[in-house]
Amino acid sequence: MANEARRPTPADPMPQATRPGDIPSETVRNLPPELGPDAVGVLDRRTFVFSNAAGDVPAGSIGGLVHNDTRLLNRWVLTICGSPLLVLSSGTVEDYSAAFFVASPELPGLQANAIGVRRQRFISNGMHERLELQSYAGEPVSIQLRLAVGTDFADLFEIKETVRDRSHQITRSHARDGSRLEFTYRNGTFEVRTRVLADPPADQVDGDVLVWELHLAPNQEWRCDLQVPLHYDEVQIGPAERGFGEAFDVEQDDPLVRWEHAKPVLQSDSDLLRDVYHKSALDLTALRTEIRLENETVVLLSAGLPWFLTIFGRDTLITAYQTMGGGPDLARGALLALAGHQGTECDDFTDEEPGKILHEYRSGELTKLGLKPHKPYYGTADATQLWLILLSEYWRWTGDDQFVQGLRDNAYAALRWIDEYGDRNNDGYVEYATRSPQGLGNQCWRDSWDGVLFSTGAMPVLPISTCEIQGYTYDAKLRFAELADGPLDDPSLARRLRSEAADLRDRFNRDFWIDDRGGYYALGLDGDNRQIDMMTSNQGHLLWSGIVPTERAAIVAGQLMSDRLFSGWGVRTTATDDPAYNPIGYHRGTVWPHDNSIIACGLARYGFRQEANRIVTAMLDAAQFSGCRLPEAFSGYDRSFGRAPVPYPTACNPQAWASGAPLLFLRTLLGTEPRNHQLTLDPEIPPEIGRIRMTNVSAFGSRWDIEATTTQSYIRLAP
């Protein structure tokens, strides 16, 4: 009876449902201490390897080789005479490659560091690793080099929580000559294989361990190449094949590297701005995936390393928007790929509805066997509006009427979803509440279970309509009206959408505004129509969408830049004077670069250029403490707390919309907007940044050169 009285909340969205005990939840465990703070990750497309600083993956850790959401290696440990190696230095070379410099420990009859070892690792059409040993002993030595290999074939969702024991279903067919280890796992229609190839072959195979008996003279070198081949399905396009000489040469002929070279070239008086832009471009390159659709090959972005190397609706769309100034390819790929998976029916398990844009696509065992709803999962209330916003933005930058017309049915279906399915309780707002026992409780960008709370920390009841989703809906309808007046040639629809948007704006500003604390917008309305009064950064998204009346914009800008929200490094997700605030809570006080890029863009839209620049320069300052890379998030401690921003412990690095943020910051600084097949420029450059010059900017099928300083600017077609 007690269970019947419980109402759905983001923490318990399906109180009547029972989750099977062996299916992982959405809970994410922290990075375990086995890999440590110096863990090294390499990635390419939907493949990554995480190891410790020595290059090893200890069994039972969160590390390993993961490809297409399945872990192919969960143990990869190199020892000399049974002892682990000493770490000298290690780190990534490029996003897809790393080098580890290690040495032998003190052993009987052998001093420490007598054997130097270099491990080079990279990903292309497989995981490749080269072992190079050199003896610095004064006399010949005999050592045993062992590489312990293992796999659990865990689904990505299990790696984050609890891994099911598959050992009784894993078969081995190792080569007796030491040239190959092979593991195979089958479960119904799901089959996966891991092969480890060694050249030269091991002298013996001891269970799942490759063993080489080495006899080295003084200064003698020895080398071995290892490969773990990867399988790509018929839709995926694998990376170009690399050799060891090429893997550490960024000039190789690889499609992703070609894209990196074709991006706009940035010159600036600010070395920091230039370096952050360059690092972001490299990270976006690493996160790109090429897939085959019916008529063309398109480029997409995975969301982030390690857990989100797949297509996400919201993340992919926002990153494509952020990077539009770098060229339209990412937006085109996102629009086509997501349209190809647009919802066509109602399915409670996947939260699918006609016209809805997906949230997340997975391809691991649990998904393929129907135990997880992610092929694809549709639990998002904002991706559909963001798809329409991106379609409009793509058209504004390209003027490609034919492309928009080709997606006409998808656009109309998305609009119908907003009106017929998005508004679940007919109150005029888009809200969310999952119908799936495997579904997300929160389906906005603050999608952790406690990302949406009352200011006291109390949990709201579902369904919930968050404020920024209404802003996206408002913007999507106005942009659709522009398309309806233009390439879609539907003027009556344009008039209707503008009327609906105006009505939404009026109702929203009546229902979501709170006069307390100087005035601000509620985070949302819950299922009892109560204002969720947590003060949050989501208000900045309202400026970006344009739903805020001019007379309230200054109040919102003041709140965003107040000490309660602005940390000195950026705008926090939650105000410090809310009891629910936590500087290391995922959505309860951290600082997110993508969030700040949208906020800065919104501030600039309403004329608050100095405030926008303050965010931009703070973000750039923060990036210099993490190798010029903006992480997914960092902690919300005030800048006075320490000389550097405090890292968020499990932030994705790199993460697509964090890497896309500097490109949107640049657009905000320059005031670059497409209008009537021309790029317009309205710069406001802070003195500490000085001159900005961008060449090779793509718009309307042409290339443009832009230059701006604190006092003058120009924009023109590139010669």
Side-chain angles (χ1 to χ4, degrees):
M1 296 295 293
N3 196 43
E4 293 179 1
R6 281 164 42 207
R7 299 181 64 189
T9 68
D12 187 12
M14 296 285 288
Q16 310 301 326
T18 302
R19 182 190 299 272
D22 60 345
I23 304 301
S25 69
E26 296 293 336
T27 303
V28 178
R29 64 178 178 141
N30 291 334
L31 189 70
E34 300 98 301
L35 295 181
D38 297 323
V40 176
V42 295
L43 76 150
D44 196 328
R45 294 167 172 80
R46 297 197 60 209
T47 306
F48 71 87
V49 184
F50 253 131
S51 70
N52 62 21
D56 291 334
V57 179
S61 77
I62 210 165
L65 167 63
V66 177
H67 175 66
N68 281 351
D69 298 332
T70 299
R71 182 157 61 181
L72 302 182
L73 292 172
N74 76 326
R75 184 172 65 151
W76 188 261
V77 178
L78 188 69
T79 59
I80 291 180
C81 299
S83 297
L85 303 178
L86 305 176
V87 179
L88 303 178
S89 70
S90 61
T92 57
V93 179
E94 300 293 338
D95 286 298
Y96 57 81
S97 62
F100 307 84
F101 297 90
V102 293
S104 59
E106 184 174 354
L107 298 167
L110 195 65
Q111 293 183 344
N113 303 317
I115 307 295
V117 182
R118 180 172 72 161
R119 306 174 73 169
Q120 292 179 291
R121 178 179 299 156
F122 70 89
I123 298 171
S124 66
N125 57 340
M127 186 191 87
H128 299 259
E129 182 160 333
R130 172 168 287 176
L131 308 177
E132 295 175 301
L133 279 67
Q134 185 170 4
S135 174
Y136 299 104
E139 56 188 34
V141 296
S142 296
I143 61 171
Q144 186 181 80
L145 183 71
R146 298 173 65 91
L147 179 66
V149 180
T151 180
D152 56 5
F153 292 117
D155 189 283
L156 185 78
F157 288 109
E158 296 177 306
I159 300 173
K160 296 190 289 181
E161 191 173 334
T162 302
V163 177
R164 179 171 65 85
D165 183 9
R166 296 170 173 80
S167 58
H168 63 288
Q169 296 172 278
I170 297 174
T171 60
R172 292 161 172 78
S173 52
H174 302 336
R176 293 183 179 181
D177 65 359
S179 63
R180 185 191 76 246
L181 300 180
E182 185 166 330
F183 307 83
T184 303
Y185 168 71
R186 294 182 182 87
N187 182 12
T189 59
F190 183 80
E191 180 177 345
V192 65
R193 176 178 291 104
T194 297
R195 300 170 68 221
V196 179
L197 308 178
D199 180 22
D203 296 306
Q204 60 176 295
V205 177
D206 181 10
D208 296 334
V209 182
L210 295 172
V211 183
W212 292 268
E213 302 289 350
L214 304 182
H215 307 282
L216 302 176
N219 294 315
Q220 183 178 347
E221 299 178 4
W222 178 88
R223 186 174 78 186
C224 179
D225 288 344
L226 302 159
Q227 180 184 2
V228 183
L230 300 175
H231 170 72
Y232 293 87
D233 62 33
E234 64 279 2
V235 175
Q236 295 173 307
I237 298 176
E241 185 173 352
R242 305 179 179 114
F244 272 96
E246 302 165 327
F248 296 88
D249 177 7
V250 297
E251 299 299 326
Q252 61 179 297
D253 185 26
D254 181 290
L256 303 189
V257 176
R258 289 199 303 271
W259 175 84
E260 197 275 328
H261 288 314
K263 75 181 189 302
V265 177
L266 172 68
Q267 296 174 312
S268 175
D269 292 342
S270 169
D271 292 342
L272 178 58
L273 175 63
R274 186 193 63 237
D275 292 345
V276 171
Y277 172 77
H278 179 67
K279 182 60 178 174
S280 291
L282 290 176
D283 287 341
L284 290 169
T285 299
L287 291 167
R288 288 163 63 95
T289 296
E290 292 180 299
I291 65 170
R292 297 182 184 90
L293 297 180
E294 288 184 5
N295 300 317
E296 64 179 292
T297 297
V298 300
V299 180
L300 297 169
L301 281 178
S302 296
L305 179 74
W307 306 124
F308 307 122
L309 285 183
T310 189
I311 301 170
F312 276 73
R314 178 188 308 116
D315 301 53
T316 299
L317 291 162
I318 287 179
T319 308
Y321 179 94
Q322 292 170 318
T323 59
M324 186 65 74
D329 288 353
L330 292 179
R332 183 183 183 92
L335 290 165
L336 289 172
L338 293 172
H341 292 286
Q342 190 173 26
T344 58
E345 62 184 11
C346 290
D347 184 327
D348 288 351
F349 185 58
T350 65
D351 278 335
E352 179 182 1
E353 291 162 338
K356 197 175 189 182
I357 297 298
L358 67 84
H359 171 62
E360 180 179 359
Y361 186 95
R362 292 291 182 179
S363 57
E365 177 187 5
L366 298 180
T367 298
K368 287 189 174 181
L369 296 181
L371 300 174
K372 298 288 286 185
H374 292 79
K375 195 180 180 181
Y377 175 59
Y378 290 85
T380 169
D382 55 10
T384 307
Q385 298 93 316
L386 290 169
W387 187 90
L388 289 171
I389 290 169
L390 184 63
L391 179 65
S392 160
E393 193 70 6
Y394 179 89
W395 179 73
R396 289 179 179 181
W397 278 83
T398 65
D400 191 343
D401 290 355
Q402 186 176 0
F403 180 79
V404 173
Q405 291 161 359
L407 291 172
R408 180 188 187 98
D409 291 345
N410 302 98
Y412 278 74
L415 186 62
R416 285 193 298 272
W417 177 84
I418 292 172
D419 294 334
E420 297 177 15
Y421 294 94
D423 185 1
R424 300 175 61 89
N425 57 11
N426 297 314
D427 64 351
Y429 299 121
V430 174
E431 52 264 319
Y432 57 79
T434 186
R435 309 187 312 277
S436 173
Q438 295 280 325
L440 286 172
N442 278 319
Q443 299 187 0
C444 57
W445 89 262
R446 306 167 68 103
D447 58 1
S448 55
W449 68 271
D450 60 350
V452 177
L453 298 170
F454 290 100
S455 63
T456 60
M459 186 70 63
V461 296
L462 294 168
I464 290 171
S465 52
T466 58
C467 64
E468 84 287 354
I469 292 177
Q470 316 318 313
Y472 300 162
T473 302
Y474 171 80
D475 192 23
K477 291 200 170 188
L478 287 181
R479 286 171 174 266
F480 201 126
E482 183 182 20
L483 296 176
D485 273 337
L488 297 179
D489 190 23
D490 193 344
S492 62
L493 176 63
R495 289 191 296 272
R496 192 195 92 196
L497 290 175
R498 289 192 177 97
S499 174
E500 291 175 357
D503 177 66
L504 172 60
R505 190 184 200 216
D506 291 343
R507 288 186 291 102
F508 173 82
N509 280 281
R510 179 195 68 208
D511 296 341
F512 279 74
W513 185 253
I514 298 174
D515 288 323
D516 296 342
R517 300 164 75 181
Y520 67 104
Y521 284 99
L523 174 54
L525 304 178
D526 81 344
D528 290 333
N529 209 35
R530 296 177 296 175
Q531 290 180 328
I532 304 172
D533 60 348
M534 177 184 276
M535 183 182 287
T536 70
S537 62
N538 289 36
Q539 296 179 92
H541 295 234
L542 302 177
L543 296 175
W544 179 61
S545 69
I547 200 171
V548 178
T550 303
E551 62 271 18
R552 282 181 176 167
I555 299 173
V556 174
Q559 293 285 19
L560 291 167
M561 304 310 297
S562 67
D563 290 343
R564 58 169 44 129
L565 278 173
F566 188 72
S567 74
W569 300 113
V571 179
R572 302 178 180 94
T573 48
T574 302
T576 56
D577 55 352
D578 274 36
Y581 167 74
N582 178 354
I584 52 175
Y586 195 49
H587 293 112
R588 289 171 52 186
T590 48
V591 175
W592 290 61
H594 96 275
D595 188 28
N596 277 262
S597 74
I598 292 172
I599 294 168
C601 189
L603 286 166
R605 174 176 182 161
Y606 280 80
F608 298 99
R609 301 296 294 272
Q610 291 185 358
E611 290 82 355
N613 287 354
R614 189 179 172 198
I615 290 175
V616 173
T617 54
M619 284 274 128
L620 293 175
D621 289 344
Q624 67 183 319
F625 294 101
S626 51
C628 292
R629 170 189 285 165
L630 287 171
E632 175 188 22
F634 42 88
S635 300
Y637 293 107
D638 191 82
R639 191 162 181 166
S640 63
F641 192 79
R643 62 178 294 271
V646 178
Y648 181 73
T650 57
C652 286
N653 276 307
Q655 211 252 13
W657 60 12
S659 297
L663 280 76
L664 188 54
F665 288 145
L666 271 169
R667 180 175 168 183
T668 299
L669 291 172
L670 292 168
T672 310
E673 291 295 331
R675 291 191 176 93
N676 300 319
H677 294 276
Q678 293 287 323
L679 280 184
T680 62
L681 195 63
D682 181 23
E684 184 150 337
I685 313 298
E688 57 265 47
I689 289 179
R691 182 180 67 101
I692 296 175
R693 184 169 190 264
M694 294 192 74
T695 58
N696 205 35
V697 177
S698 176
F700 316 114
S702 301
R703 296 287 176 172
W704 302 72
D705 292 344
I706 299 170
E707 184 164 352
T709 67
T710 55
T711 59
Q712 58 187 352
S713 63
Y714 75 78
I715 184 168
R716 63 190 175 208
L717 284 170

